[in-house]
Amino acid sequence: MSNVGGVDRVLRFIVGVALILVPFAAPAVPALAGLGNWAWVIGAVGLVMLLTAVFRFCPAYVPFGVNTCDTK
């Protein structure tokens, strides 16, 4: 059962990849240097977003009945 549609999927993928890179870029970028261990939490959120894009299913959508997928 899919509940993540095309545009939602692409945005999740792009943002997910960007967030995964945060922990690795944080030490080199002064604006991100103060994140400390939070950078890894942000990276984990990015991993979840990437996985929901790949599997086209978001568990957080279920309780709210959200479905951005066009298929019937």
Side-chain angles (χ1 to χ4, degrees):
M1 180 171 105
S2 297
N3 65 359
V4 176
V7 175
D8 190 5
R9 186 177 186 196
V10 170
L11 289 174
R12 284 173 182 269
F13 188 86
I14 293 169
V15 173
V17 169
L19 292 179
I20 288 171
L21 296 176
V22 167
F24 303 103
V29 179
L32 300 176
L35 289 177
N37 288 334
W38 284 105
W40 292 102
V41 173
I42 294 169
V45 169
L47 180 62
V48 170
M49 291 184 75
L50 188 64
L51 290 174
T52 58
V54 169
F55 292 110
R56 298 187 73 153
F57 180 75
C58 179
Y61 279 0
V62 175
F64 302 105
V66 176
N67 186 351
T68 61
C69 192
D70 300 5
T71 59
K72 295 181 182 184

